[in-house]
Amino acid sequence: MPSSRTVPAVVVAGTLTAVLWVVTGRLGDWLSGAPLPVPGTLVRALLPHPTASVAGGAPVSGSTLLTAALAGAIVAAGTQLVLRRLPSGTGRWATFLGVWFAVVAASALAATAAWFAGVTLPWRADTITELVATALGGWWGLVNGLLVGLAVVVTRALTDRRDDPAGTRHTRAPATVRAWPAALAAGTATGALWAAAGVGRTLLPGASDPQSPWGVARDVVLLPSARLAVDRDALLADPVHLVLPLGVGLAVGLLTALAARRLPPAEGRWALLLAVWFACVAGAALAAAVPVVVSTVTSGGVLPDAGRVLPVLQAGLAWGLVGGVLVAPLAVVVHRAAGAVPDAAGDAEEPWPAPAATPAADTEERGAAPGTDGSSTEPADAADRSDGSEGPDRERAARAERDEVPASV
């Protein structure tokens, strides 16, 4: 259940996602039917429709509102997972990237639910292919998740109580863990997985027939963005694909290092998991678009149009969703096993509040403390004088009284 510390960020994430789901769809529909000539590919790239292709003139339906509520609920649940045990002032990059991935996942799941509601039975082979392709979508979330992630980070910065007098674990400065082991593990695993998927896609049975069941499985699971030719002549003809595993590994490693930079050993596991998963999605999408851009530039063009780049970006995004299932847990395990960062600078914050003194120590401190005025020291001085000088005189006077004999009359 959300606590008072996480409720504001959870509410902001869910509400903003639901509002963007409806607003972007309506705005995309309006632009597609507007009299102004707006390229459809540009609208789909910068203002994607959340559930289907851009189609103008369609009224707001109950299905749109239900899918918007579903997407908002998924993002709210993901935000709660990210912030549930994360101490204040730590893991801002992990929070940002983790919430961004929650929006991507919500986009894919809610769009799949909307597609499933309009499908009739019995299913055919191409229906299953459409289902898998829709479930591995999420382009709407990749575009709009930036806003939701920023909103959550700002909300958390405004509502965190770092001066909480309760001294809970959420207000103390926790020990952080080295980020480079998790980044190295995530980057290496992503690059190796990219190369293995590309080689496996080429060697699968039915690779020459894309319409066969093996060809459909290859194109859905081992997506065409992760291709890597095994023929030497093909590699020499197109060496860009040989460099792509290094590029995608470097991108994922850098994003993982940012996410794990100030995370505690155990409290930020969910935040790191979702952040590394998003790193796989973003790194794979960017690496998938590199060959298209390089081929356009080498052929004399400046930049490829959105109609060519957008399908490749979506394919890379889907590869990141599949590959992140393996890479993200590995990064979390390595991060938890890595050693803590030593406090060489000595600027670590002490737990608040400071430890209270014992009653015996308080009594000794009060007895040893000197007075602030003259009256407080007089009783002690008088006692010293009576013990040193007045004591013998008083004893002699008492002895004289006992020795006196009353006179007879």
Side-chain angles (χ1 to χ4, degrees):
M1 294 295 293
S3 62
S4 60
R5 188 181 62 90
T6 61
V7 161
V10 170
V11 172
V12 167
T15 305
L16 183 58
T17 302
V19 171
L20 287 175
W21 189 275
V22 178
V23 170
T24 55
R26 294 303 93 195
L27 186 57
D29 291 345
W30 178 79
L31 287 177
S32 63
L36 299 176
V38 180
T41 54
L42 186 62
V43 174
R44 288 197 301 270
L46 301 180
L47 195 64
H49 199 284
T51 56
S53 301
V54 176
V60 178
S61 61
S63 176
T64 301
L65 297 179
L66 288 177
T67 53
L70 177 61
I74 294 173
V75 173
T79 306
Q80 171 62 21
L81 281 178
V82 170
L83 300 178
R84 186 171 62 95
R85 293 177 57 86
L86 202 61
S88 300
T90 60
R92 293 179 181 175
W93 275 103
T95 301
F96 174 65
L97 298 179
V99 173
W100 199 342
F101 176 79
V103 180
V104 173
S107 173
L109 295 177
T112 304
W115 174 88
F116 185 81
V119 175
T120 58
L121 298 176
W123 287 8
R124 301 184 304 272
D126 56 346
T127 307
I128 299 177
T129 304
E130 292 177 3
L131 171 63
V132 176
T134 306
L136 294 179
W139 180 253
W140 182 91
L142 191 63
V143 174
N144 294 276
L146 175 66
L147 300 177
V148 181
L150 287 176
V152 169
V153 171
V154 172
T155 303
R156 186 186 176 215
L158 294 176
T159 56
D160 272 345
R161 300 186 298 270
R162 294 187 61 85
D163 56 346
D164 186 4
T168 62
R169 58 183 170 84
H170 297 295
T171 60
R172 299 174 183 176
T176 56
V177 180
R178 293 183 178 92
W180 65 266
L184 183 61
T188 304
T190 305
L193 189 61
W194 181 280
V199 174
R201 180 182 179 274
T202 306
L203 299 178
L204 270 178
S208 59
D209 185 10
Q211 301 301 324
S212 63
W214 278 107
V216 172
R218 176 203 63 192
D219 290 336
V220 171
V221 180
L222 305 178
L223 293 157
S225 60
R227 58 186 180 272
L228 184 65
V230 295
D231 184 57
R232 177 176 176 273
D233 296 334
L235 285 176
L236 293 178
D238 194 5
V240 176
H241 294 286
L242 191 61
V243 186
L244 287 183
L246 299 177
V248 69
L250 181 61
V252 172
L254 290 177
L255 290 178
T256 303
L258 283 177
R261 191 170 64 91
R262 293 194 61 188
L263 278 183
E267 286 81 359
R269 285 177 290 181
W270 277 104
L272 182 61
L273 179 73
L274 299 183
V276 175
W277 207 338
F278 174 79
C280 294
V281 169
L286 292 177
V290 169
V292 181
V293 175
V294 171
S295 62
T296 303
V297 173
T298 54
S299 61
V302 180
L303 287 176
D305 56 351
R308 290 185 58 196
V309 178
L310 185 58
V312 179
L313 285 174
Q314 292 173 340
L317 185 151
W319 187 93
L321 286 175
V322 176
V325 178
L326 302 176
V327 177
L330 175 64
V332 172
V333 171
V334 174
H335 177 264
R336 189 172 184 180
V341 176
D343 186 20
D347 56 352
E349 300 179 5
E350 293 293 334
W352 197 100
T358 60
D362 294 340
T363 305
E364 293 175 1
E365 290 176 1
R366 286 195 299 268
T372 57
D373 53 354
S375 61
S376 61
T377 59
E378 288 177 358
D381 296 340
D384 294 339
R385 288 194 301 268
S386 63
D387 292 340
S389 60
E390 295 182 5
D393 296 337
R394 186 176 300 176
E395 291 179 358
R396 285 193 296 270
R399 191 179 303 111
E401 289 178 359
R402 288 193 302 269
D403 294 338
E404 289 179 356
V405 178
S408 61
V409 179

